[in-house]
Amino acid sequence: MSKATRRPLVAGNWKMHGNRADAARIVGELLTRGAGAGHAEVIVCPPFVHLADVRRQLDGSRIGLGAQDVCAEEAGAHTGEISAAMLADVGCRYVIVGHSERRALYGEDDELVVRKFVAARRHALTPILCVGETHVERERDETKVVILRQLDAVLAAAGIAAFATAVVAYEPVWAIGTGLTASPEQAQEVHALIRGRIEEKDDTISASLRVLYGGSVKAGNASELFAMPDVDGGLIGGASLKADEFASICAAAER
Ligand code: PGA
């Protein structure tokens, strides 16, 4: 299975931005601009409190819904947390796990990320597993080691079969929200590394696995990134808050 047979995916990660009116406006503009109407799959990942409103607004459209995080636990006394069952119930199909901001600012380690990945799948949510190296790690030539450590932690605990219904996002930490983007060649190198690791375990799953790039993707650089053989779309932060820009990125994934 080659790149052409993998359906491109563009996911907007709104992070902690926007009130209800902003959410409604962004979604309204995306629908007007026809985002999600093509071959590429388009999803938005609003803050938890907007999920139900956005789900309603998306009803009847082909834009999907994802969450930005999930609790590793099933249910119970976990004040402030949101379970995978709740996300599924409100209409999410995807959930981001292991985003570098969760890892760096909220102390999430590989072990917790694995548990979130497993919790998501238990409720038929597709995890978007984020992996990525920091600037210091890249300078030290540790990119490969870091990416494989993050990926292997999930592979070891969840098993290769879990990747048949998962997405991986390569997000170099130094490129997130910084305006610095990995070059298409830098991205391709790491995407090939990720797919190669999966291929060592199962070549059918590796051929169908979608690997997204994230880190300062904009309308101006999306096409060249998405053209790389192992880049199957993007996880978009800042640019996903601007409907026109995000719609252009979605269009770039069609080609
Ligand atoms: P950015 O964020 O597009 O603003 O760099 C990407 C992400 O954090 O998912």
Side-chain angles (χ1 to χ4, degrees):
M1 202 189 276
S2 70
K3 171 167 176 149
T5 60
R6 295 190 290 270
R7 188 174 176 206
L9 172 62
V10 180
N13 172 13
W14 293 3
K15 308 194 181 184
M16 194 172 71
H17 292 291
N19 57 23
R20 296 166 71 199
D22 295 324
R25 179 181 44 75
I26 294 169
V27 171
E29 285 177 30
L30 289 178
L31 294 174
T32 306
R33 289 169 194 275
H39 170 60
E41 186 176 359
V42 174
I43 66 167
V44 291
C45 304
F48 289 134
V49 291
H50 300 325
L51 286 172
D53 284 348
V54 170
R55 174 67 270 159
R56 267 190 295 276
Q57 199 178 354
L58 290 176
D59 272 351
S61 85
R62 292 177 59 217
I63 299 179
L65 189 67
Q68 298 174 17
D69 188 25
V70 62
C71 183
E73 308 297 336
E74 267 305 290
H78 296 282
T79 302
E81 292 291 291
I82 308 282
S83 72
M86 293 171 185
L87 296 178
D89 184 48
V90 85
C92 290
R93 292 214 313 273
Y94 288 87
V95 61
I96 299 169
V97 297
H99 190 279
S100 63
E101 286 152 17
R102 301 293 319 169
R103 293 179 191 260
L105 305 175
Y106 298 94
E108 293 194 7
D109 57 10
D110 286 334
E111 192 256 341
L112 181 58
V113 172
V114 165
R115 292 174 54 228
K116 291 185 171 198
F117 182 98
V118 170
R121 292 196 69 262
R122 218 182 283 131
H123 292 275
L125 295 167
T126 300
I128 301 177
L129 170 68
C130 299
V131 297
E133 82 288 1
T134 64
H135 181 64
V136 171
E137 289 162 344
R138 178 162 278 266
E139 292 286 291
R140 288 194 197 133
D141 214 14
E142 290 171 4
T143 300
K144 188 173 166 184
V145 174
V146 171
I147 301 298
L148 292 183
R149 190 202 74 222
Q150 293 172 340
L151 189 61
D152 285 351
V154 182
L155 267 171
I160 181 64
F163 283 79
T165 48
V167 172
V168 177
Y170 169 52
E171 297 208 306
V173 179
W174 49 271
I176 295 178
T178 58
L180 297 172
T181 315
S183 68
E185 293 72 24
Q186 283 173 319
Q188 169 58 28
E189 197 182 348
V190 178
H191 282 231
L193 173 76
I194 293 168
R195 197 179 307 285
R197 185 57 129 212
I198 300 294
E199 190 177 5
E200 287 169 20
K201 315 270 180 202
D202 188 311
D203 52 4
T204 308
I205 291 175
S206 85
S208 63
L209 177 73
R210 293 181 294 180
V211 185
L212 313 183
Y213 170 79
S216 298
V217 177
K218 303 183 269 294
N221 60 21
S223 297
E224 54 178 21
L225 286 160
F226 296 168
M228 302 311 282
D230 288 296
V231 178
D232 304 304
L235 180 53
I236 320 299
S240 72
L241 296 165
K242 300 174 209 141
D244 54 343
E245 179 100 11
F246 188 63
S248 300
I249 295 169
C250 296
E254 297 292 339
R255 289 185 280 272

